[in-house]
Each structure stands twice: as C-alpha cells, then as structure tokens.
Amino acid sequence: MVSVINLMSRGLDGALDRQQALADNLANIDTPNYKRKDVDFISVLRKESEESSSLSLKTTNERHIAGSKTEANSFKSLALRKSNYRNDKNNVDVDVEMAEVAKNGVYYNTLAKQINDQFRILKDVISKGGSQ
C-alpha cells in the first residue's frame, strides 16, 4: 500500500509541475515567439510503476535507509514548437490551455482523494487493529 501512495504522490508532483507549465503558457499568451510548454508525467509514472513491480530494493540491515530508484525531479518540461498559432509565432491557444488546466485539475483532485482514502484505510487498520 505504501508504494501505491508513493506512486500517487509522484502523480501529484507531476500534476503540479504540469499546472505550472500551463500557467506559464497563459501568462505568456501575448509574448511574441513564445512556444507553449507541457509536462509529460504520465509516461514517467507508467515507467516507474512497471519498474517498481519488477524489482524492489532490499536492505541487509535494519539501520539501512530504504533506497528509491526514481529521481526527485524526473518530470521534464517540453516546449512544443511544431505549430505557429499566430503571426507573431506564438502558439498558445487560450481555449486549449484552459481545457488542459481543467483536465489537469480533475486529475490532481482525483489523486488527492485517492491518497486521502488510502490514509483513511491505514488509520482504520491502525485504530481497530485485528478486532472487529
């Protein structure tokens, strides 16, 4: 269960990074030559979930610190340069950005609720123990 919470936490980090990139796009909507940015964190999370299910790190002493195979800042911001939306070579479309902000917000809120549910389950298990 802890690895699921860690993976969902990484998802929240990725959604936060993406939200920042989308906010930057909206802030630069009138900047000539600005190219919209996006953060692809879903593919990173898929890769991490596959790696975590295939091989786990082990410690040989109780005083060892459990390791992590993931980098803290592995989400990369990508500048999308394929299209020019306007004559000033800015490719930010306010409608696309607002739709992506809404979609990202739903993703973030869903993950936050799922993490909250996981912690509620852990709290119930700890408080009730093995008793019914």
Side-chain angles (χ1 to χ4, degrees), residues 101-120:
V101 165
K103 184 167 67 171
N104 195 58
V106 168
Y107 184 84
Y108 185 91
N109 290 335
T110 301
L111 275 178
K113 183 184 179 319
Q114 290 293 323
I115 289 174
N116 188 37
D117 290 345
Q118 292 294 319
F119 279 118
R120 184 185 46 76

Side-chain angles (χ1 to χ4, degrees), residues 68-108:
S68 174
K69 294 185 286 181
T70 62
E71 297 175 23
N73 296 322
S74 60
F75 303 122
K76 293 183 174 73
S77 178
L78 308 169
L80 306 174
R81 302 183 182 278
K82 292 183 181 179
S83 65
N84 291 325
Y85 179 66
R86 302 187 315 231
N87 288 337
D88 66 355
K89 300 194 182 347
N90 183 315
N91 68 349
V92 178
D93 181 353
V94 68
D95 294 328
V96 170
E97 299 305 316
M98 293 306 291
E100 292 299 321
V101 165
K103 184 167 67 171
N104 195 58
V106 168
Y107 184 84
Y108 185 91

Side-chain angles (χ1 to χ4, degrees), residues 7 41-54 69-70:
L7 188 61
F41 63 95
I42 299 292
S43 62
V44 174
L45 292 176
R46 282 190 184 124
K47 183 180 175 189
E48 287 178 8
S49 69
E50 290 170 3
E51 288 175 359
S52 68
S53 64
S54 64
K69 294 185 286 181
T70 62

Side-chain angles (χ1 to χ4, degrees), residues 4-57:
V4 171
I5 292 173
N6 289 339
L7 188 61
M8 286 190 282
S9 174
R10 292 275 297 148
L12 288 176
D13 292 342
L16 183 65
D17 288 351
R18 183 163 195 247
Q19 189 71 19
Q20 184 61 52
L22 296 172
D24 288 347
N25 293 342
L26 288 168
N28 287 293
I29 198 159
D30 291 327
T31 304
N33 297 314
Y34 180 82
K35 301 301 180 194
R36 79 178 296 269
K37 294 184 273 182
D38 206 345
V39 174
D40 178 22
F41 63 95
I42 299 292
S43 62
V44 174
L45 292 176
R46 282 190 184 124
K47 183 180 175 189
E48 287 178 8
S49 69
E50 290 170 3
E51 288 175 359
S52 68
S53 64
S54 64
L55 180 65
S56 61
L57 298 176

